[in-house]
Amino acid sequence: MKLLLAIVLVSLIALIGSRLTFFSRRLTMGLKNIIFTGTEYIFLGIFLGSWGLNILDEETLKKLEPFLLFALSWIGFLFGLQFEIKRLKVLPRRYFSITAIQSFIVFVLVSFVTWYSLNIFALLPENYILLASITLGSAASCTAQSAIAIVNHNFRIGNRGLLGLMRYISSVDGLFALLFFAVALCILPRGGPVNFGLLKLTGWLAISIAMGILPALILIFLSSTRFTQQEYMVFLIGVIMFCGGLAERLHYSSLVVGLVCGFITANFCPHRLRALSIVIHAEKSIYITLLILLGASWHFKVGVTLIIAAVYFLSRVVGKTVGVFAATRILKPKYEVPPKLGLGLISEGGLAVAIIINVTLLYPALSDALITIIILSVIINEYISPVLIVKQFGDVLHLAEDRFKAVKNHQTEMK
């Protein structure tokens, strides 16, 4: 009975939440960004979990794991669906190289710093520390687009080239994060001893790619027949469920397999745009469900985990700043790039949360520490990121806002 109640309640909240789009003018941009990204649903999950009503207790959460696997596969599929090779060739190659450099620097710096910190405090078993640190490095490489969208909505930005670069980085660096994450999962097979090698890495990636290609081929075959929009939605749901279930059954990443399936669909399925429309339409509901279940599974304890969370946050900020600075100095754009542009790219977003959830499903021993770190980091980053983005544009941005207000006041007076 509790399981049924939990399913109905979470589904209802996700459905209603996906249709709420209001913003109060009195809210700061940071709070608007938190609402826009749905971070508040983490607290709702805490309220429904063992700290509150206990509707989402440990036993119920265990039974809801298939929903998590489906959601992770859905997110991976959506992300892969956006990478159509024909469209990528049109975009500036320099932007891709800048994104790759900054993502790699963030990944290496955060992975090393968190690995060193975890070894000092011995927060996790020895055979899990390397996996946890590389997973955190992968999550740190992500950048959410929500904060940039909020700033663009509230201000009139003159430097469109700089804004375009920030948008590009926030759109593409998730691809590198998932590649780093795939490497992380090759290190610790099924919770055993660390056993990393080129042959093992190649085999793991080959199997992951094969598991993503198979559902994609099924979808492409089904798409070759005549179908209605409702039938195509059933095709998509079935294929994505198959991705998640197959990956879980063989102890692989639903997120990575979904990414491969989405990428193959984007480049070989003639109905890519139809699939993209359906998947995007349900994205917010899926993400809200993930956040609620993440909050309900959070077992917060005051201790050294808070120190690791602070180390992760600070190393990520430093990594973003150094990474973007180095990348834009090696490959200089045609316009001026602020030296601290990386501070405008610290918004973390949903892909980082999905990476952490995926690894905790595969390795439950990591759950308490990694969930605490990512929740605290996401809340802080989403709150401060809009202000830091505004500072990257300096006086030009504020003057543009003032002109906008002046024009608006003049129009009001004329009326």
Short mmCIF file of all heavy atoms in Angstrom, two decimals, residues 81-103:
data_model
loop_
_atom_site.label_atom_id
_atom_site.label_comp_id
_atom_site.label_asym_id
_atom_site.label_seq_id
_atom_site.Cartn_x
_atom_site.Cartn_y
_atom_site.Cartn_z
N LEU A 81 20.71 12.54 -27.87
CA LEU A 81 19.86 12.92 -28.99
C LEU A 81 20.21 14.31 -29.53
O LEU A 81 19.88 14.65 -30.66
CB LEU A 81 18.39 12.90 -28.55
CG LEU A 81 17.30 12.67 -29.60
CD1 LEU A 81 17.54 11.37 -30.36
CD2 LEU A 81 15.93 12.65 -28.93
N GLN A 82 20.86 15.13 -28.72
CA GLN A 82 21.21 16.49 -29.12
C GLN A 82 22.50 16.57 -29.93
O GLN A 82 22.82 17.63 -30.47
CB GLN A 82 21.32 17.37 -27.87
CG GLN A 82 20.05 17.44 -27.07
CD GLN A 82 20.23 18.20 -25.77
OE1 GLN A 82 20.63 19.36 -25.77
NE2 GLN A 82 19.94 17.56 -24.66
N PHE A 83 23.23 15.45 -30.01
CA PHE A 83 24.52 15.47 -30.69
C PHE A 83 24.40 14.86 -32.08
O PHE A 83 24.84 13.74 -32.33
CB PHE A 83 25.57 14.74 -29.85
CG PHE A 83 26.01 15.53 -28.65
CD1 PHE A 83 25.35 15.38 -27.45
CD2 PHE A 83 27.04 16.43 -28.75
CE1 PHE A 83 25.74 16.11 -26.34
CE2 PHE A 83 27.44 17.17 -27.66
CZ PHE A 83 26.79 17.01 -26.45
N GLU A 84 23.81 15.62 -32.97
CA GLU A 84 23.75 15.22 -34.37
C GLU A 84 25.00 15.73 -35.08
O GLU A 84 25.30 16.93 -35.05
CB GLU A 84 22.49 15.78 -35.04
CG GLU A 84 22.27 15.27 -36.44
CD GLU A 84 21.01 15.84 -37.06
OE1 GLU A 84 20.45 16.80 -36.51
OE2 GLU A 84 20.59 15.33 -38.12
N ILE A 85 25.74 14.83 -35.70
CA ILE A 85 27.04 15.19 -36.27
C ILE A 85 26.92 16.30 -37.31
O ILE A 85 27.76 17.21 -37.37
CB ILE A 85 27.70 13.94 -36.89
CG1 ILE A 85 28.04 12.92 -35.80
CG2 ILE A 85 28.97 14.32 -37.66
CD1 ILE A 85 28.61 11.63 -36.30
N LYS A 86 25.89 16.28 -38.14
CA LYS A 86 25.71 17.31 -39.16
C LYS A 86 25.61 18.70 -38.54
O LYS A 86 26.16 19.67 -39.07
CB LYS A 86 24.45 17.02 -39.98
CG LYS A 86 24.54 15.77 -40.84
CD LYS A 86 23.25 15.56 -41.61
CE LYS A 86 23.32 14.29 -42.45
NZ LYS A 86 22.04 14.05 -43.18
N ARG A 87 24.91 18.79 -37.42
CA ARG A 87 24.75 20.08 -36.76
C ARG A 87 26.02 20.49 -36.02
O ARG A 87 26.35 21.69 -35.94
CB ARG A 87 23.57 20.04 -35.78
CG ARG A 87 22.23 19.84 -36.47
CD ARG A 87 21.09 19.78 -35.46
NE ARG A 87 19.81 19.60 -36.12
CZ ARG A 87 19.05 20.60 -36.57
NH1 ARG A 87 19.45 21.85 -36.40
NH2 ARG A 87 17.91 20.37 -37.16
N LEU A 88 26.73 19.53 -35.48
CA LEU A 88 27.97 19.85 -34.75
C LEU A 88 29.03 20.42 -35.69
O LEU A 88 29.84 21.26 -35.28
CB LEU A 88 28.50 18.59 -34.06
CG LEU A 88 27.69 18.05 -32.88
CD1 LEU A 88 28.32 16.77 -32.37
CD2 LEU A 88 27.61 19.09 -31.77
N LYS A 89 29.05 19.98 -36.94
CA LYS A 89 30.04 20.47 -37.89
C LYS A 89 29.85 21.95 -38.21
O LYS A 89 30.81 22.63 -38.60
CB LYS A 89 29.96 19.65 -39.18
CG LYS A 89 30.50 18.22 -39.03
CD LYS A 89 30.43 17.47 -40.35
CE LYS A 89 31.01 16.07 -40.21
NZ LYS A 89 30.92 15.31 -41.49
N VAL A 90 28.61 22.43 -38.07
CA VAL A 90 28.32 23.84 -38.36
C VAL A 90 28.89 24.75 -37.28
O VAL A 90 29.26 25.90 -37.54
CB VAL A 90 26.80 24.05 -38.50
CG1 VAL A 90 26.47 25.50 -38.78
CG2 VAL A 90 26.26 23.15 -39.61
N LEU A 91 28.99 24.27 -36.04
CA LEU A 91 29.43 25.07 -34.91
C LEU A 91 30.95 25.29 -34.96
O LEU A 91 31.68 24.47 -35.54
CB LEU A 91 29.05 24.38 -33.60
CG LEU A 91 27.54 24.17 -33.40
CD1 LEU A 91 27.28 23.33 -32.16
CD2 LEU A 91 26.81 25.50 -33.29
N PRO A 92 31.44 26.38 -34.35
CA PRO A 92 32.89 26.67 -34.38
C PRO A 92 33.71 25.56 -33.72
O PRO A 92 33.44 25.18 -32.59
CB PRO A 92 32.99 27.98 -33.59
CG PRO A 92 31.62 28.57 -33.62
CD PRO A 92 30.68 27.42 -33.66
N ARG A 93 34.73 25.07 -34.41
CA ARG A 93 35.59 24.03 -33.85
C ARG A 93 36.38 24.54 -32.66
O ARG A 93 36.71 23.79 -31.76
CB ARG A 93 36.53 23.52 -34.93
CG ARG A 93 35.84 22.77 -36.06
CD ARG A 93 36.85 22.20 -37.03
NE ARG A 93 36.19 21.46 -38.11
CZ ARG A 93 36.84 20.85 -39.11
NH1 ARG A 93 38.17 20.90 -39.15
NH2 ARG A 93 36.17 20.21 -40.03
N ARG A 94 36.70 25.83 -32.66
CA ARG A 94 37.46 26.41 -31.57
C ARG A 94 36.69 26.29 -30.26
O ARG A 94 37.27 26.04 -29.21
CB ARG A 94 37.78 27.86 -31.88
CG ARG A 94 38.58 28.57 -30.80
CD ARG A 94 39.02 29.94 -31.25
NE ARG A 94 39.92 29.86 -32.41
CZ ARG A 94 40.52 30.92 -32.95
NH1 ARG A 94 40.32 32.12 -32.45
NH2 ARG A 94 41.31 30.78 -33.99
N TYR A 95 35.38 26.47 -30.32
CA TYR A 95 34.55 26.35 -29.12
C TYR A 95 34.63 24.94 -28.54
O TYR A 95 34.68 24.76 -27.32
CB TYR A 95 33.09 26.69 -29.45
CG TYR A 95 32.80 28.17 -29.55
CD1 TYR A 95 33.82 29.11 -29.62
CD2 TYR A 95 31.48 28.63 -29.56
CE1 TYR A 95 33.54 30.46 -29.73
CE2 TYR A 95 31.20 29.99 -29.64
CZ TYR A 95 32.23 30.90 -29.74
OH TYR A 95 31.96 32.23 -29.82
N PHE A 96 34.62 23.95 -29.42
CA PHE A 96 34.70 22.56 -28.96
C PHE A 96 36.03 22.30 -28.26
O PHE A 96 36.08 21.64 -27.22
CB PHE A 96 34.52 21.60 -30.14
CG PHE A 96 34.45 20.15 -29.75
CD1 PHE A 96 33.25 19.59 -29.34
CD2 PHE A 96 35.59 19.35 -29.78
CE1 PHE A 96 33.18 18.25 -28.97
CE2 PHE A 96 35.53 18.02 -29.41
CZ PHE A 96 34.33 17.47 -29.01
N SER A 97 37.10 22.83 -28.82
CA SER A 97 38.43 22.64 -28.22
C SER A 97 38.53 23.35 -26.88
O SER A 97 39.11 22.82 -25.93
CB SER A 97 39.51 23.16 -29.17
OG SER A 97 39.47 22.47 -30.41
N ILE A 98 37.97 24.56 -26.79
CA ILE A 98 37.96 25.29 -25.52
C ILE A 98 37.20 24.49 -24.46
O ILE A 98 37.65 24.36 -23.31
CB ILE A 98 37.31 26.68 -25.71
CG1 ILE A 98 38.24 27.59 -26.51
CG2 ILE A 98 36.98 27.32 -24.35
CD1 ILE A 98 37.63 28.92 -26.89
N THR A 99 36.06 23.94 -24.85
CA THR A 99 35.26 23.14 -23.92
C THR A 99 36.02 21.90 -23.47
O THR A 99 36.00 21.54 -22.29
CB THR A 99 33.93 22.72 -24.59
OG1 THR A 99 33.24 23.89 -25.05
CG2 THR A 99 33.03 21.98 -23.60
N ALA A 100 36.69 21.24 -24.40
CA ALA A 100 37.44 20.03 -24.06
C ALA A 100 38.58 20.33 -23.08
O ALA A 100 38.77 19.60 -22.10
CB ALA A 100 38.01 19.41 -25.34
N ILE A 101 39.30 21.43 -23.31
CA ILE A 101 40.43 21.78 -22.43
C ILE A 101 39.94 22.09 -21.03
O ILE A 101 40.48 21.57 -20.03
CB ILE A 101 41.21 22.97 -23.02
CG1 ILE A 101 41.90 22.55 -24.31
CG2 ILE A 101 42.24 23.48 -22.01
CD1 ILE A 101 42.52 23.71 -25.08
N GLN A 102 38.92 22.94 -20.92
CA GLN A 102 38.45 23.32 -19.58
C GLN A 102 37.82 22.13 -18.86
O GLN A 102 38.01 21.97 -17.65
CB GLN A 102 37.48 24.51 -19.66
CG GLN A 102 36.09 24.24 -20.19
CD GLN A 102 35.12 23.81 -19.12
OE1 GLN A 102 35.28 24.11 -17.94
NE2 GLN A 102 34.08 23.08 -19.54
N SER A 103 37.13 21.26 -19.57
CA SER A 103 36.52 20.08 -18.94
C SER A 103 37.60 19.16 -18.39
O SER A 103 37.48 18.62 -17.28
CB SER A 103 35.66 19.32 -19.94
OG SER A 103 34.58 20.12 -20.38
#
